[in-house]
Amino acid sequence: MNHPVIPIAVQGASRQRKREAPKGRRADPQSLREVQDLLGDMPRRRDLLIECLHKIQDAFGALSAAHLAALAQELKLAQSEVYEVASFYHHFDVLRDGEAAPASLTVRVCAGLSCEMAGASSLLDRLPAILGTEVRLQAAPCVGRCEQAPAVLVGQHPVPRATAETVLAKVVAKETTHVHTNHDGLDDYRAKGGYALLRDCAEGRRDVESVIAALEASGLRGLGGAGFPAGRKWRIVGTEPGPRLMAINIDEGEPGTFKDRVYLERDPHRFLEGALIAAWAVGIETIYIYLRDEYHGLRGMLEAELEALRADPPVANMPELILRRGAGAYICGEESAMIESIEGKRGMPRLRPPYVAQVGLFGRPTLEHNFETLHWVRDIVEQGPERFASHGRHGRKGLRSFSVSGRVRDPGVKLAPAGITITELIAEYCGGMQEGHQFYAYLPGGASGGILPASMGDIPLDFDTLQPYGCFIGSAAVVVLSNQDTAKAAALNTLRFFKDESCGQCTPCRAGTAKAVAIMEQPDWDIELLGDLSQVMRDASICGLGQAAPNPFDCVIKYFPHELSSHTLGGAQ
């Protein structure tokens, strides 16, 4: 049979027409209109993907396949790119075809260590019968309210020291959105001398060298956990070719940590002035602020204060300030994972080098800081570094904001001298132990900082003082255990958290945390196998999550051997 000859040009046109229709699901007209209406005049950029997902989730209560397809078309992305991001973060509900949307209201009970000790498990057991089937109930990772344990979120409304009755009352009253108002606004802050230092810097009454030198002399180090000297970081980023960017981490997800939330609730402009001074000193054009999604009320407050600042800027040519919303992922507290998230991607840590200071946000040199580090900039420069450095005990210098929770009478953020011991901190700042509880053990640096017995309560709490004992201070999140708790149960609680929060990128962390939990759930631990896991996770994990996750069980094996027989296994009460 003779076949017709098709001209090459026509063949090419035919192939081109076929390519115009993308593979996979097509966006249906209704879903496309709904997404377009939601996005409005919002730019269609890849880095805004997570912000777009939030808009859809907030409007419809979940992310349907149809809406994801429409969003992919709007942003000109592959559907796989949209899906992999949506399915990565805890706070996005991605629906399969035919799957019903979850209940319109979700109640999240914090399952972190401090809340577990305060009765979160009992609360989770009681609430299903009380709330009924019209409310979705979830055990949640730490929500950053450890001093209010057990903490619950009804929708986006926090319920401190929750009981089944107070949770039900919020649900019945439909109080599901929290608006934060108890803070110093822009006018209040200016009335107390705010932004005068920034003006002095911008108008030449202060020079860059003297400001950076003040930070160096004060000994200020990164207060998000890594402890890198702040002044040195400014110098490093300032030598990199422009344009330079800044990323501010307010995604404090380490169980036991809540200091950034407390300071932000009271005085948001103090850290904003610190950020603007840093931008002036380093030569930064744009500042990105990454705020964890659990802080809903603070997000509304911060958006309003940023708008007020833009409307009445304290200096000319103020850098652009952009607020980005997290979506529930502890790993985004790691600096490079946070940068990936700001760029609209899954929050997976980057391999280094290159370092964030060289190749960071959008490929530009990036000054990355924790919120609290910037909170102290104004005080240190205005009052002189000597005043900050003059505090301290046991040979240490400076001040530390300790997030204290657990079995103490008065939990909360305690501004105390660097180097204070846990025994001193409990007695002088926390009102002692709770009635009927005796000090038994403590976590000096949150879930990943290890566990030490009360007999080692005389170690100065500061950077570099705890490493010889297999621990570290991290973000200074201190959780206090009593004789009604076990270190073994506390370690299991933290490993379950790490297992859930591992991003899954590297095998040592992904498989190691899961295997550790399986071993630790047994009445008798396989000590040799846990030791092997610890070594591999420390040596081969990409980021600090996998490298530090073994600290809790390593400390139990080393310091609490009496708990390792099966008859001592139990949960924190």
Side-chain angles (χ1 to χ4, degrees):
M1 179 183 291
N2 293 326
H3 296 279
V5 176
I6 301 175
I8 293 175
V10 176
Q11 291 177 355
S14 176
R15 285 196 297 268
Q16 183 62 39
R17 281 195 297 273
K18 289 180 181 178
R19 290 194 195 102
E20 288 174 358
K23 293 181 179 180
R25 180 187 298 272
R26 302 293 302 275
D28 68 80
Q30 179 179 346
S31 297
L32 185 59
R33 283 194 301 272
E34 289 171 345
V35 168
Q36 289 170 337
D37 290 344
L38 272 178
L39 301 189
D41 58 0
M42 184 177 181
R44 270 51 168 179
R45 299 199 316 261
R46 168 60 198 260
D47 65 290
L48 293 173
L49 172 56
I50 293 173
E51 299 296 314
C52 295
L53 291 169
H54 274 303
K55 282 183 176 289
I56 297 171
Q57 173 96 10
D58 290 346
F60 296 99
L63 300 173
S64 68
H67 284 138
L68 291 180
L71 180 59
Q73 181 171 320
E74 273 296 287
L75 297 184
K76 295 181 172 58
L77 295 173
Q79 291 184 34
S80 59
E81 293 180 271
V82 175
Y83 180 84
E84 71 176 7
V85 172
S87 59
F88 179 85
Y89 295 92
H90 296 319
H91 291 182
F92 293 140
D93 292 305
V94 180
L95 304 180
R96 295 186 176 92
D97 281 333
E99 185 179 4
S104 59
L105 178 62
T106 297
V107 172
R108 293 183 173 91
V109 178
C110 179
L113 178 58
S114 298
C115 289
E116 176 67 20
M117 289 193 293
S121 291
S122 298
L123 198 55
L124 280 164
D125 290 340
R126 287 193 62 198
L127 283 174
I130 294 174
L131 298 180
T133 58
E134 299 302 313
V135 176
R136 179 172 61 165
L137 181 65
Q138 292 182 333
C142 181
V143 299
R145 297 181 178 275
C146 314
E147 85 282 25
Q148 301 171 4
V152 172
L153 295 178
V154 175
Q156 294 171 319
H157 199 298
V159 183
R161 301 173 185 85
T163 65
E165 291 71 26
T166 58
V167 171
L168 179 61
K170 291 291 183 188
V171 171
V172 171
K174 301 188 185 303
E175 292 185 57
T176 59
T177 301
H178 180 63
V179 179
H180 181 85
T181 58
N182 186 26
H183 67 281
D184 280 352
L186 180 56
D187 291 341
D188 301 315
Y189 185 70
R190 279 182 164 148
K192 298 175 183 178
Y195 292 112
L197 175 60
L198 176 63
R199 288 194 298 273
D200 286 347
C201 293
E203 295 168 8
R205 290 183 290 277
R206 300 251 188 187
D207 62 88
V208 172
E209 177 57 35
S210 66
V211 170
I212 294 180
L215 295 186
E216 292 174 330
S218 72
L220 180 67
R221 295 170 65 168
L223 298 172
F228 193 86
R232 191 192 309 171
K233 184 180 284 191
W234 289 20
R235 290 192 189 278
I236 290 170
V237 179
T239 62
E240 295 293 327
R244 308 175 195 94
L245 303 173
M246 184 189 301
I248 301 173
N249 187 345
I250 322 181
D251 192 58
E252 56 176 358
E254 179 82 12
T257 306
F258 49 90
K259 61 184 177 60
D260 292 352
R261 188 204 89 236
V262 169
Y263 285 136
L264 181 57
E265 284 175 340
R266 301 171 183 170
D267 199 359
H269 285 279
R270 190 168 297 271
F271 103 88
L272 290 172
E273 183 169 12
L276 292 169
I277 291 169
W280 161 81
V282 179
I284 284 167
E285 299 179 355
T286 307
I287 300 170
Y288 288 82
I289 302 168
Y290 190 84
L291 180 68
R292 73 180 305 196
D293 196 34
E294 288 84 351
Y295 294 168
H296 169 78
L298 289 176
R299 186 174 67 254
M301 178 271 284
L302 192 51
E303 285 172 342
E305 294 303 328
L306 288 172
E307 191 56 43
L309 198 60
R310 296 184 191 107
D312 186 13
V315 295
N317 302 315
M318 187 177 75
E320 185 178 8
L321 291 151
I322 298 173
L323 180 62
R324 288 291 173 85
R325 179 179 175 184
Y330 165 72
I331 191 62
C332 289
E334 196 276 338
E335 61 176 6
S336 65
M338 176 186 68
I339 283 171
E340 289 285 298
S341 189
I342 292 173
E343 292 180 356
K345 304 172 187 174
R346 294 176 295 169
M348 289 194 166
R350 298 175 179 177
L351 292 170
R352 285 163 284 191
Y355 296 95
V356 165
Q358 303 162 314
V359 182
L361 191 55
F362 306 118
R364 304 308 313 169
T366 302
L367 179 66
E368 191 276 340
H369 266 313
N370 168 257
F371 166 92
E372 196 202 349
T373 310
L374 296 168
H375 176 88
W376 291 112
V377 168
R378 175 187 164 190
D379 283 4
I380 288 170
V381 177
E382 278 187 345
Q383 300 171 9
E386 298 81 9
R387 181 167 180 176
F388 185 84
S390 67
H391 299 275
R393 291 188 187 177
H394 307 294
R396 311 305 296 181
K397 294 183 178 180
L399 290 167
R400 293 287 173 271
S401 301
F402 294 95
S403 302
V404 186
S405 62
R407 302 298 193 181
V408 295
R409 288 180 185 270
D410 183 23
V413 175
K414 311 298 179 181
L415 185 60
I420 193 171
T421 68
I422 184 63
T423 304
E424 294 167 338
L425 186 65
I426 293 171
E428 299 175 31
Y429 289 83
C430 303
M433 297 292 292
Q434 293 176 0
E435 186 71 28
H437 292 264
Q438 297 176 9
F439 180 35
Y440 173 67
Y442 65 109
L443 286 70
S448 57
I451 309 175
L452 293 171
S455 60
M456 299 176 67
D458 58 351
I459 301 170
L461 298 177
D462 198 11
F463 296 114
D464 311 320
T465 59
L466 293 156
Q467 281 84 339
Y469 308 97
C471 299
F472 58 80
I473 194 171
S475 58
V478 177
V479 183
V480 179
L481 310 184
S482 81
N483 58 334
Q484 296 187 25
D485 310 303
T486 67
K488 191 175 183 182
L492 177 56
N493 179 285
T494 63
L495 261 295
R496 285 172 174 159
F497 172 83
F498 292 133
K499 172 180 176 287
D500 291 341
E501 294 295 332
S502 173
C503 74
Q505 179 177 195
C506 65
T507 302
C509 178
R510 180 185 66 250
T513 53
K515 184 64 176 177
V517 168
I519 296 170
M520 295 167 70
E521 287 177 336
Q522 300 304 311
D524 295 302
W525 290 3
D526 186 332
I527 305 301
E528 184 177 355
L529 184 51
L530 282 174
D532 290 343
L533 275 175
S534 175
Q535 191 65 53
V536 171
M537 291 171 69
R538 293 180 188 281
D539 290 346
S541 294
I542 289 174
C543 81
L545 192 157
Q547 295 163 11
N551 283 341
F553 64 76
D554 281 347
C555 284
V556 172
I557 294 168
K558 184 175 182 179
Y559 299 117
F560 302 89
H562 58 281
E563 292 191 17
L564 294 178
S565 60
S566 58
H567 72 276
T568 62
L569 181 64
Q573 301 299 311

